[in-house]
Amino acid sequence: MAKSPSTDATLVRSARRTLDILSWFSLEHPQGRISEIAKDLDLAPSTVRRLVTALAECGYLQLDEATSRYSLHIEVVRLAAVAVSTNDVVRSAEPMLDRLLKELDETIVLNVLSGTLVVHLASRQSVHRFSIYPPQGRRYQAYEGGASGIVLLAWLDSDELDAILPDVSSWPSYGHNQILKRTEFLDALKMARVNGWAVNDGRTDPDLWSVAAPIRDHTGRVVAALSAACRRSFMTDERRESLPRTVLQAASEISLGLRFHGQSQPLVDLSLNS
């Protein structure tokens, strides 16, 4: 007997809620009670309990009996390992991550865009005593003002950009002294297109200096950002001058490995989004 449309809709809704629950977990909140998850996702606790129980039975979540908190479990780790090991961008970039770490002795990070979020996909940690090390899987809003976020958004078309950026009235404030306003952020996107890279000079952290450059696939679309993150207090003028070009060259070589041989995408008039 064929399933009714209402049955299909129920199954899809249940699947989406299950994925929302898995996505709720992050480095910021790696554990949570059913009540916390339900509140954040605006779901009934009974619904969350049913789905969380199923995920735990299948090995995707585990329960700490002492605290009644759930956390991600081994099946998620297994899937993550499969995703990373078979990802073309990661496989193409990893030799370059190793090379840049050896050459620059700065933290090197490979970032991708997921919805409105920048996700650290892979990284290599500097051996400096005062190095910067973003953990793998860390996520943050692409419009916070970080170098990778600017690069990952700079080559989107106007419709894609409008779907991601808040409007002027709801533009967030993160409490950093130099956080970009919406118009300033759009100017930063334009500058990234002109230069080919973006720099975060203490904007999101007083002692962070980072530079990011785009990685493109065979279609010319930006699929990742390669960045080098340094302590701002240790930067020299010579370093500020040389690092952007080094990272840009490295990102171009990774793009070549992804069969990008043409020109970057044409510029879009971002003034329409201001």
Side-chain angles (χ1 to χ4, degrees), residues 223-269:
V223 293
L226 180 69
S227 72
C230 323
R231 288 293 185 188
R232 187 166 177 252
S233 53
F234 296 152
M235 290 296 291
T236 63
D237 290 342
E238 180 182 358
R239 200 78 162 155
R240 291 171 187 267
E241 177 73 21
S242 64
L243 278 178
R245 301 187 186 282
T246 300
V247 173
L248 177 62
Q249 178 61 37
S252 298
E253 291 184 33
I254 297 172
S255 299
L256 188 61
L258 293 172
R259 303 184 302 281
F260 172 68
H261 299 285
Q263 298 295 316
S264 61
Q265 297 152 299
L267 298 182
V268 174
D269 184 5

Side-chain angles (χ1 to χ4, degrees), residues 103-121:
E103 178 181 342
L104 301 177
D105 195 17
E106 302 289 0
T107 297
I108 311 301
V109 186
L110 179 69
N111 299 294
V112 295
L113 187 67
S114 177
T116 67
L117 299 173
V118 175
V119 181
H120 292 324
L121 198 59

Side-chain angles (χ1 to χ4, degrees), residues 156-205:
L156 295 182
D157 62 36
S158 298
D159 289 340
E160 291 174 310
L161 196 60
D162 276 337
I164 290 175
L165 297 185
D167 57 29
V168 174
S169 63
S170 57
W171 191 261
S173 173
Y174 293 94
H176 304 299
N177 291 333
Q178 299 184 46
I179 190 66
L180 295 176
K181 297 179 181 179
R182 194 179 198 274
T183 53
E184 294 171 330
F185 187 82
L186 292 174
D187 287 341
L189 299 187
K190 295 176 185 177
M191 186 60 66
R193 287 174 175 268
V194 172
N195 291 336
W197 65 75
V199 168
N200 178 7
D201 191 357
R203 186 183 303 121
T204 58
D205 184 294

Side-chain angles (χ1 to χ4, degrees), residues 18-36:
T18 302
L19 294 174
D20 286 341
I21 289 172
L22 287 174
S23 297
W24 180 89
F25 294 90
S26 68
L27 293 172
E28 290 72 31
H29 40 73
Q31 296 180 318
R33 295 188 176 92
I34 287 176
S35 59
E36 297 169 331

